[in-house]
Structures are given as C-alpha cells and as structure tokens.
Amino acid sequence: MDVKRPPQMRYCTKCVYPASSAVPLAFGENGVCSGCRVHEQNKHINWNERAKILKKIIEKYKSKDNSNYDCLIPVSGGKDSYFQTYYITKILGLKPLLVTYDGNNYLEVGIRNRNRMREVFNVDHLIFGPSIDVLKKLNKKCFMKMGDMNWHAHCGIYTYPVQIAIKMNIPLIIWGEHGYTDLGGMYSMYDLPEMTKKFTREHACRGYDWTNMVDKEMGIREQDLLWAKYPSDEDLEQKDIRGIFIGFYTYWDANAHGKKMIEEFGFETSPEPFDRTYRRMSNLDDMHENGIHDYMKYIKFGYGRATDHVCKDIRGGYLTREEGIKLVQKYDHVKPRDLKRWLKYVDMTEEEFDRIADTFRDRRVWWKNEKGEWIKDNIWNKNKQF
Ligand SMILES: [Zn+2]
C-alpha cells in the first residue's frame, strides 16, 4: 500500500497538542491552541460572581418543600465526581441523587472509591449497568465500527442520568467540567454552555445513537438498548430539565481537587502504575480507558492520554513543556498489557485487532516507511517552527 507523507504535523507552542487532536483545536497568535487560550480566561473570571449565578440557578430548581432531591449528579466515582459531590453537599448544602452508569470494567480501586461516596458525603446513589452480554457485543461492534470500544460508556454516562432526571422529576443535573472546553477550548469560559442532545449525539457519542447499534446478526435488540435512548425533546421541555457544568461556576484545578479528596475523603489513586500515562488518579472506572481504549486514540490521532494529561498539567503550572514532552515520548506509543484481557472479553485475536485498528489511522498523521512500518511526526524531533 502506498501511503504518502502528509504535511508536517503542527503542535501547540504552549502545550503539546497536535493539530490532529480528537477535540478540534484552532491555532491563534504565536501558534497557541484554543485549549490553552480558553484556559487562560480562568485567571480573569470573577469567581465570586459565578458562585452567585450558580446559587440563583439552584434556588430556582431545588426542592422547595424537601419532598424530592435538590439535583442529580452523574458520577463515575472518580476524583471529579468526589469534588462535584463535595461542593454540592458540603459547600452548597444540597441533597443530591448520585447516578452512575456501570460499564462492567471498573478497577477494584474504582469500585472502592465509588462505594465510599455514600458514606463520606451522606448521599443516596443509584448505580445502573446494562447486560454484560450486550456490553461485550457493543465493545466489539463499536471497535469495528468507529475504533472506540467504549461508545457504550460515552452514551450511558451522558444518557442514563438524563432518563432518571425525567423519571424522578429532578430538573437540575449538575455535571463536572466541560471536557471539550477544558481540552480544546470548544466554548469560551464566558459562554456558560449547558447540556444538549446535540452535543451528546455529535460529540460524546461520536455521531451515533442507539438506532445504529441494533444488530440482528450480533443479537443486539432495541430492548437491549433502552438505557441508551436519549429522552425526547417533549419530555425534556415538559419536565424543564436543565444540565449545567459546575466547572463554569467554580475554578477547576483537578490536581488540587484530587489532593483535597485524597486527604479529606479517603479517595484512593491506583496502587499500580498505568502503561500509557503517568497519572494514577484518573479513569479508574474502566480498566481499558487508560489502556487499549486510549491506545486506539494513538492509532487514530497519533497521541494518547499522556498528551492529554501533560497539556492539563502544563496549563495548570504543574509541568514545563520540556518535562511534558519527555512524558509524551515515554508513554504515547506504548501498546498496553490490558489488550490481552480485552481480546478475551470480546473473543478476538490480536492479529484481528491490529488489522482493524490500522483501518482507523488518520492519514493526516500516519504514513509508511520503506519497510512498510507506520510512522508519524513527533513533537520531540520536529524541525520546522511555526
Ligand atoms: Zn495548547
């Protein structure tokens, strides 16, 4: 196969994101990406004013006679879930309902963290998980369809809590950080975007919904996907459902939050290091999220979660760009050990995995050398300056 070299990859001059980032980036003055520029806005925001706006929203939606929950918090049990729940219960004094989508691949430490929340925050918690047989089929189907075995998780996390908000008449859903804004600067910090069906379908769910997953041959029926059906516009309107992101109302510093949650509420980081990133406090709700799921991001876009974590840590002032580049060099390419477990989980061979994975390589990133090996530009040997 003749695969030609694409134009040289452009990288942000402040963080380490490539132009091929999964979350779209725009480069501005001095080659700084939109994610870095939006992050800078945090320094100029009047956070006291934002806290007042949040209080007003809550006053409007919370239970007036204490006959229902004040709000709903979708949680995985990770450090961000802890901070959201801490802020809502201890700072704002509300009674939330916690809702979790369980995709069946929690790490043990992730389950311990998730279960501890009921104790340390004095909250009620609803945990839902689809059939394991269906989850295995969706893992396999979505890997082949879009190179992302965790579509079910993106869909479940963004859909199931909205269903519950409607069923239990809890109009206010409080999400954590707006990930696409944090990573890529999708919105300005002054926009205060809220939850929408359009965002869920087009971004979180990669452009697919449950109708694309019904599969006679694989035995996935509509009834197996009830949890994946986003509520209708009529239901959302009638129940006045509103979803806000708390990261627009209180300053979000994941490292500082993580430290506080460990010290004050017993949050545990992974006792084992991960193969593909240096952070041990993220993505403990899915053993493949930091592993083979993330390796597919590298195959597709030419970078992985170490790059994501480095970008966050450079912007937060925890790493220099030079230190970050060394971490990217160490982690981004690693084929992780959890692949074996995932192959067994979905009944696939490694050869089949590699063959399918290769079909998702972005030609803006990858080309083949004379030996037929896939190669790409790397941030550490870039010679052209932008
Ligand atoms: Zn940047």
Side-chain angles (χ1 to χ4, degrees):
M1 191 180 10
D2 181 31
V3 186
K4 286 206 175 71
R5 191 200 201 289
Q8 180 147 16
M9 183 55 62
R10 182 175 192 176
Y11 293 90
C12 174
T13 52
K14 188 158 188 271
C15 69
V16 294
Y17 271 130
S20 58
S21 159
V23 174
L25 295 177
F27 290 92
E29 221 174 293
N30 303 320
V32 177
C33 79
S34 41
C36 284
R37 282 181 283 138
V38 166
H39 188 268
E40 280 296 301
Q41 294 175 338
N42 280 295
K43 293 177 187 162
H44 309 291
I45 286 170
N46 182 338
W47 290 105
N48 289 329
E49 281 302 314
R50 291 287 171 98
K52 281 184 201 159
I53 299 172
L54 178 62
K55 272 202 175 135
K56 263 193 192 164
I57 297 171
I58 284 165
E59 279 308 315
K60 182 175 174 194
Y61 290 98
K62 73 174 195 178
S63 175
K64 301 294 181 292
D65 57 2
N66 300 328
S67 64
N68 199 356
Y69 296 100
D70 291 317
C71 62
L72 185 154
I73 319 178
V75 295
S76 65
K79 65 178 190 325
D80 295 343
S81 303
Y82 266 61
F83 186 79
Q84 273 162 273
T85 310
Y86 154 77
Y87 195 86
I88 288 161
T89 57
K90 310 280 184 194
I91 305 288
L92 301 176
L94 300 173
K95 178 75 180 181
L97 173 66
L98 270 50
V99 178
T100 293
Y101 169 85
D102 182 339
N104 191 43
N105 284 334
Y106 266 81
L107 289 166
E108 278 178 30
V109 60
I111 291 178
R112 287 200 299 275
N113 282 333
R114 185 183 77 189
N115 292 346
R116 191 183 302 106
M117 297 185 82
R118 277 161 65 196
E119 198 178 333
V120 295
F121 297 117
N122 183 27
V123 287
D124 300 350
H125 192 168
L126 182 63
I127 299 170
F128 169 83
S131 138
I132 290 172
D133 180 57
V134 169
L135 285 174
K136 287 181 180 178
K137 288 172 179 166
L138 283 175
N139 262 259
K140 193 169 188 172
K141 183 180 176 69
C142 293
F143 167 65
M144 295 192 290
K145 196 178 180 69
M146 65 189 92
D148 183 350
M149 55 284 277
N150 278 355
W151 178 88
H152 70 89
H154 313 315
C155 179
I157 288 163
Y158 278 98
T159 304
Y160 187 71
V162 187
Q163 290 184 358
I164 294 301
I166 287 181
K167 281 180 191 147
M168 296 186 69
N169 295 309
I170 309 170
L172 185 62
I173 303 175
I174 303 184
W175 302 90
E177 196 179 28
H178 192 280
Y180 280 67
T181 296
D182 173 54
L183 296 175
M186 183 180 207
Y187 296 103
S188 156
M189 288 299 290
Y190 296 96
D191 286 343
L192 308 184
E194 301 192 355
M195 171 188 92
T196 63
K197 187 187 234 175
K198 182 178 161 70
F199 177 86
T200 303
R201 164 87 190 250
E202 292 182 8
H203 298 285
C205 296
R206 318 290 190 241
Y208 299 97
D209 69 15
W210 70 273
T211 58
N212 303 110
M213 300 304 154
V214 174
D215 190 323
K216 259 193 187 164
E217 211 171 293
M218 286 185 96
I220 307 174
R221 305 161 302 169
E222 177 177 356
Q223 272 185 311
D224 296 323
L225 298 163
L226 299 176
W227 52 272
K229 288 187 176 185
Y230 204 88
S232 69
D233 292 343
E234 291 74 32
D235 277 348
L236 290 165
E237 242 169 69
Q238 197 201 338
K239 300 264 172 133
D240 193 18
I241 303 294
R242 183 169 176 186
I244 61 170
F245 294 85
I246 202 167
F248 291 115
Y249 301 95
T250 181
Y251 180 65
W252 202 268
D253 181 337
N255 284 295
H257 292 171
K259 188 165 176 276
K260 185 177 173 72
M261 296 305 112
I262 291 166
E263 287 168 3
E264 294 182 24
F265 300 102
F267 179 78
E268 293 174 70
T269 57
S270 173
E272 300 291 328
F274 290 109
D275 290 350
R276 295 189 40 76
T277 186
Y278 58 99
R279 266 201 196 178
R280 291 200 196 187
M281 64 174 177
S282 301
N283 307 105
L284 309 178
D285 57 327
D286 187 313
M287 65 179 81
H288 300 302
E289 187 71 22
N290 276 335
I292 201 61
H293 168 265
D294 184 58
Y295 178 73
M296 279 309 297
K297 184 154 88 177
Y298 176 71
I299 294 291
K300 288 192 279 190
F301 304 106
Y303 75 99
R305 201 173 293 278
T307 288
D308 289 323
H309 290 160
V310 162
C311 290
K312 284 168 184 267
D313 288 343
I314 289 174
R315 292 170 188 169
Y318 292 92
L319 281 179
T320 65
R321 191 166 184 270
E322 287 64 39
E323 288 166 338
I325 288 173
K326 283 196 185 112
L327 290 166
V328 171
Q329 192 166 9
K330 179 175 176 189
Y331 287 108
D332 259 6
H333 65 282
V334 175
K335 197 171 186 181
R337 288 168 293 173
D338 65 291
L339 172 61
K340 297 266 178 298
R341 189 268 179 188
W342 187 80
L343 291 172
K344 209 170 158 198
Y345 188 58
V346 301
D347 189 23
M348 188 183 282
T349 64
E350 189 164 347
E351 291 71 31
E352 202 180 351
F353 174 88
D354 287 337
R355 184 179 55 74
I356 297 167
D358 277 349
T359 65
F360 291 104
R361 287 186 193 263
D362 190 327
R363 297 297 156 86
R364 293 173 303 165
V365 176
W366 298 98
W367 71 95
K368 280 188 170 177
N369 64 13
E370 310 81 55
K371 291 185 220 156
E373 298 159 336
W374 290 104
I375 52 171
K376 67 180 199 74
D377 283 327
N378 290 302
I379 191 167
W380 55 90
N381 57 18
K382 171 170 91 71
N383 46 33
K384 190 175 160 190
Q385 294 299 316
F386 289 98

